[in-house]
Amino acid sequence: MIRNYTDIKVFTGNAHPELAMQIAKELGISLGKSEITSFSDSETSLKIDEKVRGTDVFIIQPTSHPANEHIMEILIMIDAMKRASAGRITAVIPYYGYARQDRKTRARDPISSKLVADLLQVAGADRILTMDLHCTQIQGFFDIPVDHLVGMPLLTKYYSDKFESNLGNVVAVSPDLGSVGRVRAFATKLDVPLAIIDKRRPTANVSEVMNIIGDVKGKQVILIDDMIDTAGTICNAAQALKDRGAESILACGTHAVLSGPAIERIANSCIEELVLLDTIAIPEAKRLEKFNIIAVAPIFADAIRRIHEDLSVSKLFV
């Protein structure tokens, strides 16, 4: 099938309009004209105020809090673009909500991340662009192309610049066994040792540190996770590292979910600096002095440009 999308347009939902504006600026275009409001009964209302027929449409919408509302917005936007004869519709979801519900852990559990994937496809999405899925196998829930960007290059560049060539006393730490692959890639890139925290989680959003595998005494440690939600895992891990003689504790994560007691926990923790990517909008009220936020707009804009021009996106995955 021969494609000829001569025009590219970027639209945004209400989840993260600042990111969408930054991406459009990186691409050298104006943000598409649309408005999302609610009827008096809270149903979502959408108006698209420009022509999209035959164009390559990209809709920027992380499905962050309130997740259900933001998912509904992107579904309605995709449906509207499809009915307006858009040439191709790419759902750009920097943070993919429901990603932690990717399998059955008990009898009668839903697999909600698969349900969200089905909804996006039925609505009319032709392609998905996302970053650091909590579980990479979620790509297999889709029957359409999924471009899965990684935040690792942004984080490794930050720490490489921060420490310059003085990485001899640095250790990369995985806060749990599930993050070992991600942290191993980070440690390999910076050529630093790896340590692992083995923990037990008695109930949801509660973690108990049990053991540390690796040498952290007298070291500058960097805790790496894909998302910071209630911050229990990363704060407990930081305290365990401090108790075992770590000299200083830095931390980083891709998705700043920051729900519940997260801000209070981080503020009172021994973490000296927390580096976050802005895949999710972080309100000023939640920004602590120890936060350092890195923009993802350039990498998303590069991916969008490559998708539009039918170029390889794979170089952005590493």
Side-chain angles (χ1 to χ4, degrees), residues 35-249:
E35 182 182 5
I36 300 176
T37 56
S38 296
F39 292 109
S40 58
D41 64 352
S42 80
E43 288 183 2
T44 299
S45 171
L46 169 67
K47 281 195 336 181
I48 301 172
D49 294 324
E50 62 181 271
K51 171 182 167 294
V52 296
R53 182 180 295 271
T55 61
D56 204 0
V57 170
F58 294 84
I59 303 170
I60 317 295
Q61 178 85 330
T63 51
S64 50
H65 176 79
N68 297 340
E69 184 177 315
H70 290 154
I71 287 170
M72 201 65 211
E73 284 183 9
I74 193 169
L75 293 174
I76 288 172
M77 292 186 78
I78 291 169
D79 181 73
M81 300 296 179
K82 180 181 179 182
R83 294 177 187 278
S85 301
R88 177 174 60 183
I89 304 165
T90 300
V92 182
I93 309 175
Y95 168 70
Y96 186 89
Y98 284 99
R100 285 171 283 185
Q101 299 182 43
D102 64 302
R103 64 194 183 281
K104 292 182 68 170
T105 57
R106 299 170 301 184
R108 296 173 294 280
D109 270 357
I111 304 180
S112 304
S113 55
K114 166 61 173 166
L115 174 60
V116 172
D118 289 343
L119 290 170
L120 290 164
Q121 291 174 106
V122 169
D126 297 303
R127 194 179 195 99
I128 303 293
L129 175 61
T130 188
M131 175 175 275
D132 280 355
L133 288 168
H134 185 67
C135 177
T136 56
Q137 291 90 329
I138 290 172
Q139 295 172 82
F141 291 171
F142 291 90
D143 295 321
I144 56 177
V146 177
D147 292 309
H148 183 212
L149 303 178
V150 290
M152 190 68 67
L154 298 173
L155 296 172
T156 52
K157 182 181 186 308
Y158 172 82
Y159 286 110
S160 179
D161 293 343
K162 181 182 180 71
F163 290 103
E164 295 180 347
S165 58
N166 187 27
L167 287 163
N169 201 40
V170 173
V171 176
V173 180
S174 174
D176 53 35
L177 295 175
S179 298
V180 171
R182 181 181 302 107
V183 180
R184 183 185 292 117
F186 179 96
T188 301
K189 188 75 173 177
L190 289 182
D191 193 23
V192 299
L194 167 68
I196 302 167
I197 296 178
D198 176 31
K199 67 177 176 62
R200 176 171 50 191
R201 189 188 296 273
T203 59
N205 292 328
V206 175
S207 63
E208 179 183 352
V209 173
M210 298 298 293
N211 192 28
I212 295 177
I213 305 165
D215 180 21
V216 298
K217 189 172 183 179
K219 303 292 185 179
Q220 293 180 298
V221 301
I222 304 173
L223 274 163
I224 302 114
D225 211 347
D226 66 321
M227 70 171 69
I228 315 295
D229 187 358
T230 60
T233 294
I234 206 155
C235 290
N236 289 346
Q239 188 59 53
L241 292 165
K242 194 73 173 174
D243 293 344
R244 286 158 177 78
E247 179 185 314
S248 63
I249 298 162

